[in-house]
PDB file of all heavy atoms in Angstrom:
ATOM      1  N   LEU A  80      18.980  -2.757  26.893  1.00 89.00           N
ATOM      2  CA  LEU A  80      17.567  -3.215  26.488  1.00 89.00           C
ATOM      3  C   LEU A  80      16.884  -3.754  27.728  1.00 89.00           C
ATOM      4  O   LEU A  80      17.446  -4.710  28.358  1.00 89.00           O
ATOM      5  CB  LEU A  80      17.729  -4.312  25.437  1.00 89.00           C
ATOM      6  CG  LEU A  80      16.400  -4.988  24.993  1.00 89.00           C
ATOM      7  CD1 LEU A  80      15.426  -3.964  24.461  1.00 89.00           C
ATOM      8  CD2 LEU A  80      16.640  -6.092  24.017  1.00 89.00           C
ATOM      9  N   ASN A 144       1.533   4.700  47.991  1.00 95.00           N
ATOM     10  CA  ASN A 144       0.718   4.648  49.128  1.00 95.00           C
ATOM     11  C   ASN A 144      -0.330   5.831  49.135  1.00 95.00           C
ATOM     12  O   ASN A 144      -0.143   6.875  48.509  1.00 95.00           O
ATOM     13  CB  ASN A 144       1.536   4.748  50.433  1.00 95.00           C
ATOM     14  CG  ASN A 144       2.600   3.626  50.507  1.00 95.00           C
ATOM     15  OD1 ASN A 144       2.370   2.558  49.987  1.00 95.00           O
ATOM     16  ND2 ASN A 144       3.659   3.828  51.237  1.00 95.00           N
ATOM     17  N   TYR A 146      -2.240   8.494  51.492  1.00 96.00           N
ATOM     18  CA  TYR A 146      -2.076   9.188  52.786  1.00 96.00           C
ATOM     19  C   TYR A 146      -3.385   9.995  53.058  1.00 96.00           C
ATOM     20  O   TYR A 146      -3.862  10.725  52.220  1.00 96.00           O
ATOM     21  CB  TYR A 146      -0.860  10.133  52.663  1.00 96.00           C
ATOM     22  CG  TYR A 146       0.398   9.391  52.377  1.00 96.00           C
ATOM     23  CD1 TYR A 146       0.776   9.073  51.091  1.00 96.00           C
ATOM     24  CD2 TYR A 146       1.258   9.173  53.396  1.00 96.00           C
ATOM     25  CE1 TYR A 146       1.929   8.348  50.827  1.00 96.00           C
ATOM     26  CE2 TYR A 146       2.509   8.512  53.139  1.00 96.00           C
ATOM     27  CZ  TYR A 146       2.818   8.157  51.860  1.00 96.00           C
ATOM     28  OH  TYR A 146       3.973   7.495  51.601  1.00 96.00           O
ATOM     29  N   TYR A 158     -10.385  -0.094  50.512  1.00 95.00           N
ATOM     30  CA  TYR A 158      -9.536   0.674  49.625  1.00 95.00           C
ATOM     31  C   TYR A 158      -8.648  -0.316  48.787  1.00 95.00           C
ATOM     32  O   TYR A 158      -8.031  -1.254  49.411  1.00 95.00           O
ATOM     33  CB  TYR A 158      -8.577   1.601  50.387  1.00 95.00           C
ATOM     34  CG  TYR A 158      -9.321   2.741  50.998  1.00 95.00           C
ATOM     35  CD1 TYR A 158      -9.958   2.661  52.199  1.00 95.00           C
ATOM     36  CD2 TYR A 158      -9.313   4.021  50.348  1.00 95.00           C
ATOM     37  CE1 TYR A 158     -10.660   3.722  52.741  1.00 95.00           C
ATOM     38  CE2 TYR A 158     -10.036   5.074  50.912  1.00 95.00           C
ATOM     39  CZ  TYR A 158     -10.685   4.942  52.108  1.00 95.00           C
ATOM     40  OH  TYR A 158     -11.346   6.026  52.634  1.00 95.00           O
ATOM     41  N   SER A 266      -2.949  24.642  63.284  1.00 93.00           N
ATOM     42  CA  SER A 266      -3.125  25.447  64.510  1.00 93.00           C
ATOM     43  C   SER A 266      -2.325  24.894  65.725  1.00 93.00           C
ATOM     44  O   SER A 266      -2.082  25.571  66.730  1.00 93.00           O
ATOM     45  CB  SER A 266      -4.542  25.609  64.914  1.00 93.00           C
ATOM     46  OG  SER A 266      -5.171  24.387  65.099  1.00 93.00           O
ATOM     47  N   GLU A 320      40.787  -3.141  23.496  1.00 92.00           N
ATOM     48  CA  GLU A 320      41.302  -3.685  24.769  1.00 92.00           C
ATOM     49  C   GLU A 320      41.806  -2.566  25.629  1.00 92.00           C
ATOM     50  O   GLU A 320      42.311  -1.554  25.181  1.00 92.00           O
ATOM     51  CB  GLU A 320      42.452  -4.631  24.469  1.00 92.00           C
ATOM     52  CG  GLU A 320      42.124  -5.807  23.537  1.00 92.00           C
ATOM     53  CD  GLU A 320      41.168  -6.758  24.282  1.00 92.00           C
ATOM     54  OE1 GLU A 320      41.152  -6.827  25.475  1.00 92.00           O
ATOM     55  OE2 GLU A 320      40.444  -7.440  23.499  1.00 92.00           O
ATOM     56  N   LEU A 342      56.450   0.290  15.389  1.00 88.00           N
ATOM     57  CA  LEU A 342      55.299  -0.102  14.531  1.00 88.00           C
ATOM     58  C   LEU A 342      54.215  -0.796  15.269  1.00 88.00           C
ATOM     59  O   LEU A 342      53.079  -0.842  14.837  1.00 88.00           O
ATOM     60  CB  LEU A 342      55.834  -0.968  13.314  1.00 88.00           C
ATOM     61  CG  LEU A 342      56.801  -0.237  12.359  1.00 88.00           C
ATOM     62  CD1 LEU A 342      57.324  -1.245  11.337  1.00 88.00           C
ATOM     63  CD2 LEU A 342      56.123   0.958  11.740  1.00 88.00           C
ATOM     64  N   ILE A 468      49.771  37.536  -6.318  1.00 63.00           N
ATOM     65  CA  ILE A 468      49.869  38.753  -5.584  1.00 63.00           C
ATOM     66  C   ILE A 468      48.680  39.634  -5.978  1.00 63.00           C
ATOM     67  O   ILE A 468      48.482  39.896  -7.165  1.00 63.00           O
ATOM     68  CB  ILE A 468      51.204  39.504  -5.876  1.00 63.00           C
ATOM     69  CG1 ILE A 468      52.398  38.606  -5.750  1.00 63.00           C
ATOM     70  CG2 ILE A 468      51.307  40.733  -4.981  1.00 63.00           C
ATOM     71  CD1 ILE A 468      52.550  38.071  -4.369  1.00 63.00           C
ATOM     72  N   ILE A 481      32.932  54.878   3.089  1.00 91.00           N
ATOM     73  CA  ILE A 481      34.345  54.718   2.985  1.00 91.00           C
ATOM     74  C   ILE A 481      34.799  55.595   1.760  1.00 91.00           C
ATOM     75  O   ILE A 481      34.013  55.792   0.838  1.00 91.00           O
ATOM     76  CB  ILE A 481      34.793  53.278   2.844  1.00 91.00           C
ATOM     77  CG1 ILE A 481      36.373  53.139   2.955  1.00 91.00           C
ATOM     78  CG2 ILE A 481      34.331  52.701   1.452  1.00 91.00           C
ATOM     79  CD1 ILE A 481      36.810  51.727   2.948  1.00 91.00           C
ATOM     80  N   GLN A 486      45.099  59.062  -6.104  1.00 79.00           N
ATOM     81  CA  GLN A 486      45.735  60.420  -6.281  1.00 79.00           C
ATOM     82  C   GLN A 486      47.003  60.180  -7.140  1.00 79.00           C
ATOM     83  O   GLN A 486      47.665  59.113  -7.127  1.00 79.00           O
ATOM     84  CB  GLN A 486      46.023  61.012  -4.951  1.00 79.00           C
ATOM     85  CG  GLN A 486      44.805  61.241  -4.121  1.00 79.00           C
ATOM     86  CD  GLN A 486      45.156  61.729  -2.737  1.00 79.00           C
ATOM     87  OE1 GLN A 486      46.320  61.981  -2.419  1.00 79.00           O
ATOM     88  NE2 GLN A 486      44.072  61.949  -1.849  1.00 79.00           N
ATOM     89  N   GLN A 504      33.285  46.489 -14.436  1.00 92.00           N
ATOM     90  CA  GLN A 504      32.377  47.238 -15.127  1.00 92.00           C
ATOM     91  C   GLN A 504      32.491  48.726 -14.773  1.00 92.00           C
ATOM     92  O   GLN A 504      32.728  48.992 -13.506  1.00 92.00           O
ATOM     93  CB  GLN A 504      30.950  46.826 -14.830  1.00 92.00           C
ATOM     94  CG  GLN A 504      30.564  45.435 -15.351  1.00 92.00           C
ATOM     95  CD  GLN A 504      30.630  45.241 -16.861  1.00 92.00           C
ATOM     96  OE1 GLN A 504      30.214  46.201 -17.577  1.00 92.00           O
ATOM     97  NE2 GLN A 504      31.195  44.176 -17.315  1.00 92.00           N
ATOM     98  N   ARG A 600       5.630  30.565  16.091  1.00 96.00           N
ATOM     99  CA  ARG A 600       4.363  31.266  15.935  1.00 96.00           C
ATOM    100  C   ARG A 600       3.224  30.246  15.920  1.00 96.00           C
ATOM    101  O   ARG A 600       3.415  29.179  15.348  1.00 96.00           O
ATOM    102  CB  ARG A 600       4.374  32.067  14.612  1.00 96.00           C
ATOM    103  CG  ARG A 600       3.069  32.773  14.331  1.00 96.00           C
ATOM    104  CD  ARG A 600       3.218  33.644  13.057  1.00 96.00           C
ATOM    105  NE  ARG A 600       3.411  32.865  11.849  1.00 96.00           N
ATOM    106  CZ  ARG A 600       3.597  33.393  10.669  1.00 96.00           C
ATOM    107  NH1 ARG A 600       3.696  34.709  10.457  1.00 96.00           N
ATOM    108  NH2 ARG A 600       3.796  32.608   9.545  1.00 96.00           N
ATOM    109  N   ILE A 617      22.657  28.559  21.263  1.00 94.00           N
ATOM    110  CA  ILE A 617      22.988  27.786  20.091  1.00 94.00           C
ATOM    111  C   ILE A 617      24.127  28.464  19.387  1.00 94.00           C
ATOM    112  O   ILE A 617      23.950  29.579  18.872  1.00 94.00           O
ATOM    113  CB  ILE A 617      21.765  27.648  19.168  1.00 94.00           C
ATOM    114  CG1 ILE A 617      20.534  27.126  19.884  1.00 94.00           C
ATOM    115  CG2 ILE A 617      22.095  26.744  17.964  1.00 94.00           C
ATOM    116  CD1 ILE A 617      19.209  27.196  19.147  1.00 94.00           C
ATOM    117  N   TYR A 635       2.301  24.755  15.265  1.00 96.00           N
ATOM    118  CA  TYR A 635       3.468  25.630  15.368  1.00 96.00           C
ATOM    119  C   TYR A 635       4.096  25.784  14.067  1.00 96.00           C
ATOM    120  O   TYR A 635       4.141  24.949  13.196  1.00 96.00           O
ATOM    121  CB  TYR A 635       4.530  25.074  16.332  1.00 96.00           C
ATOM    122  CG  TYR A 635       4.197  25.213  17.810  1.00 96.00           C
ATOM    123  CD1 TYR A 635       3.460  24.332  18.536  1.00 96.00           C
ATOM    124  CD2 TYR A 635       4.618  26.407  18.504  1.00 96.00           C
ATOM    125  CE1 TYR A 635       3.192  24.487  19.882  1.00 96.00           C
ATOM    126  CE2 TYR A 635       4.373  26.574  19.834  1.00 96.00           C
ATOM    127  CZ  TYR A 635       3.644  25.699  20.513  1.00 96.00           C
ATOM    128  OH  TYR A 635       3.388  25.827  21.872  1.00 96.00           O
ATOM    129  N   PRO A 653       9.565  30.298   7.083  1.00 96.00           N
ATOM    130  CA  PRO A 653       8.988  29.454   8.142  1.00 96.00           C
ATOM    131  C   PRO A 653       9.020  28.022   7.768  1.00 96.00           C
ATOM    132  O   PRO A 653       9.041  27.599   6.617  1.00 96.00           O
ATOM    133  CB  PRO A 653       7.521  29.914   8.294  1.00 96.00           C
ATOM    134  CG  PRO A 653       7.468  31.247   7.520  1.00 96.00           C
ATOM    135  CD  PRO A 653       8.533  31.221   6.486  1.00 96.00           C
ATOM    136  N   ASP A 670     -10.326  31.013  38.754  1.00 95.00           N
ATOM    137  CA  ASP A 670     -11.411  31.972  39.151  1.00 95.00           C
ATOM    138  C   ASP A 670     -12.723  31.169  39.403  1.00 95.00           C
ATOM    139  O   ASP A 670     -13.773  31.608  38.939  1.00 95.00           O
ATOM    140  CB  ASP A 670     -11.582  33.101  38.156  1.00 95.00           C
ATOM    141  CG  ASP A 670     -10.435  34.016  38.072  1.00 95.00           C
ATOM    142  OD1 ASP A 670      -9.691  34.050  39.057  1.00 95.00           O
ATOM    143  OD2 ASP A 670     -10.293  34.714  37.080  1.00 95.00           O
ATOM    144  N   PRO A 752      -5.780  18.132  36.107  1.00 92.00           N
ATOM    145  CA  PRO A 752      -5.912  18.602  37.429  1.00 92.00           C
ATOM    146  C   PRO A 752      -7.170  19.414  37.776  1.00 92.00           C
ATOM    147  O   PRO A 752      -7.789  19.926  36.778  1.00 92.00           O
ATOM    148  CB  PRO A 752      -4.633  19.498  37.636  1.00 92.00           C
ATOM    149  CG  PRO A 752      -4.420  20.020  36.238  1.00 92.00           C
ATOM    150  CD  PRO A 752      -4.792  18.928  35.332  1.00 92.00           C
ATOM    151  N   GLY A 815     -38.501  55.845  38.757  1.00 90.00           N
ATOM    152  CA  GLY A 815     -37.124  55.513  39.026  1.00 90.00           C
ATOM    153  C   GLY A 815     -36.953  54.749  40.269  1.00 90.00           C
ATOM    154  O   GLY A 815     -37.879  54.461  41.018  1.00 90.00           O
ATOM    155  N   ILE A 915     -19.477  82.989  50.126  1.00 93.00           N
ATOM    156  CA  ILE A 915     -20.059  83.864  51.248  1.00 93.00           C
ATOM    157  C   ILE A 915     -21.543  83.947  51.033  1.00 93.00           C
ATOM    158  O   ILE A 915     -22.059  84.249  49.924  1.00 93.00           O
ATOM    159  CB  ILE A 915     -19.425  85.259  51.186  1.00 93.00           C
ATOM    160  CG1 ILE A 915     -17.940  85.235  51.496  1.00 93.00           C
ATOM    161  CG2 ILE A 915     -20.119  86.202  52.222  1.00 93.00           C
ATOM    162  CD1 ILE A 915     -17.206  86.572  51.467  1.00 93.00           C
ATOM    163  N   SER A 921     -25.344  93.268  48.744  1.00 93.00           N
ATOM    164  CA  SER A 921     -23.988  93.677  48.623  1.00 93.00           C
ATOM    165  C   SER A 921     -23.053  92.887  49.497  1.00 93.00           C
ATOM    166  O   SER A 921     -23.568  92.255  50.478  1.00 93.00           O
ATOM    167  CB  SER A 921     -23.824  95.236  48.983  1.00 93.00           C
ATOM    168  OG  SER A 921     -24.133  95.389  50.331  1.00 93.00           O
ATOM    169  N   ASN A 931      -5.482  85.615  40.188  1.00 87.00           N
ATOM    170  CA  ASN A 931      -6.647  86.008  39.364  1.00 87.00           C
ATOM    171  C   ASN A 931      -7.868  85.330  40.036  1.00 87.00           C
ATOM    172  O   ASN A 931      -7.814  84.254  40.676  1.00 87.00           O
ATOM    173  CB  ASN A 931      -6.444  85.425  37.950  1.00 87.00           C
ATOM    174  CG  ASN A 931      -5.213  86.034  37.320  1.00 87.00           C
ATOM    175  OD1 ASN A 931      -4.826  87.174  37.530  1.00 87.00           O
ATOM    176  ND2 ASN A 931      -4.565  85.276  36.441  1.00 87.00           N
ATOM    177  N   LEU A 944     -30.476  76.446  44.747  1.00 92.00           N
ATOM    178  CA  LEU A 944     -29.765  77.559  44.122  1.00 92.00           C
ATOM    179  C   LEU A 944     -30.331  77.999  42.822  1.00 92.00           C
ATOM    180  O   LEU A 944     -30.758  77.203  41.965  1.00 92.00           O
ATOM    181  CB  LEU A 944     -28.258  77.180  43.906  1.00 92.00           C
ATOM    182  CG  LEU A 944     -27.408  76.944  45.169  1.00 92.00           C
ATOM    183  CD1 LEU A 944     -26.049  76.510  44.705  1.00 92.00           C
ATOM    184  CD2 LEU A 944     -27.366  78.097  46.045  1.00 92.00           C
TER     185      LEU A 944
END
Side-chain angles (χ1 to χ4, degrees):
L80 174 60
N144 299 335
Y146 299 80
Y158 289 84
S266 59
E320 300 292 334
L342 294 178
I468 309 299
I481 192 174
Q486 301 175 3
Q504 297 295 322
R600 178 173 65 182
I617 308 172
Y635 281 89
D670 294 336
I915 294 178
S921 64
N931 300 329
L944 292 179

